[in-house]
Amino acid sequence: METAPWVWVIVAIVAVVLIVLLLLATGRRRKAIQQKRDDAHREKAAEIRRDAENRELDAREREAKAARARADAEQAQVEAARLRQQADQQATEAKTLRDDVNERTRKADELDPDIQGERRGRGNSGAASQENPGGGSHADRENPRSGI
C-alpha cells in the first residue's frame, strides 16, 4: 500500500497539470476571441474616423461656399449702392439740364414776338398763322414729329 499514496499524488499532479493546461487553453482561446473582437472594433473605429473626416471636409466646403455667398451678396450690395448713387447723380444732371432747357425756352419765348402774341392773347395773330401755318406752339414748330 505504499504505492497507493504515490499514485494519488501523481494522479493529483496530473489532474492539476490538466486543469492548468485547460485553463491556459481557455485563456488563449479567450485572448484570440478578444483579439478578433478588438481588431473588428479597431476597423469599425477607423471607418467611423474616415467618415468623420469626410464629413469634416464637407462641412468646411459648405462653410467656404457660405462665406463666398456672403461675400458675393455684400459685393452685390456695394454695387447696388454704387448704381443708386450713379442714378441719383444722373437724375440730378438731367434735372439741371431740364431746368436749363426750360430757362432757354422761356428766354426764347420772351424774345419771339409770335409766342408773346399767342400767350398774351393780343398782337398780330395773322402773322403768327403765316409763320406757323399749323397753328401749333413753339414746341410744335421745333418738333415736326409731334403729329400736328
Side-chain angles (χ1 to χ4, degrees):
M1 281 219 212
E2 281 189 32
T3 59
W6 287 105
V7 172
W8 285 112
V9 169
I10 292 175
V11 170
I13 291 175
V14 169
V16 168
V17 168
L18 286 177
I19 290 174
V20 168
L21 289 176
L22 182 64
L23 289 175
L24 286 175
T26 305
R28 285 183 185 157
R29 191 174 344 140
R30 267 193 233 144
K31 274 188 176 182
I33 291 171
Q34 184 64 36
Q35 183 67 32
K36 286 181 183 178
R37 193 176 306 141
D38 289 346
D39 288 344
H41 286 159
R42 282 186 192 98
E43 287 178 28
K44 183 69 173 172
E47 182 181 327
I48 291 171
R49 283 188 188 96
R50 281 190 302 273
D51 185 49
E53 288 173 1
N54 289 338
R55 288 178 181 251
E56 174 66 22
L57 291 175
D58 287 344
R60 285 182 185 176
E61 183 179 359
R62 289 179 188 206
E63 286 171 348
K65 285 181 181 178
R68 278 192 297 265
R70 278 192 293 278
D72 290 345
E74 191 170 323
Q75 180 64 33
Q77 287 176 345
V78 167
E79 185 64 24
R82 184 176 295 128
L83 288 173
R84 273 198 275 334
Q85 186 180 31
Q86 197 174 34
D88 291 345
Q89 180 182 1
Q90 289 176 353
T92 302
E93 290 173 2
K95 184 181 182 314
T96 302
L97 288 173
R98 177 71 60 197
D99 291 345
D100 184 50
V101 166
N102 288 338
E103 179 62 24
R104 287 176 184 248
T105 302
R106 188 188 59 78
K107 284 183 181 180
D109 287 348
E110 285 177 3
L111 291 176
D112 191 348
D114 294 333
I115 298 296
Q116 286 179 355
E118 289 176 10
R119 283 197 180 161
R120 292 187 186 145
R122 57 185 144 113
N124 191 354
S125 62
S129 61
Q130 288 175 359
E131 286 184 18
N132 188 3
S137 69
H138 175 72
D140 291 338
R141 284 193 312 255
E142 289 183 5
N143 188 358
R145 296 183 185 176
S146 67
I148 298 177

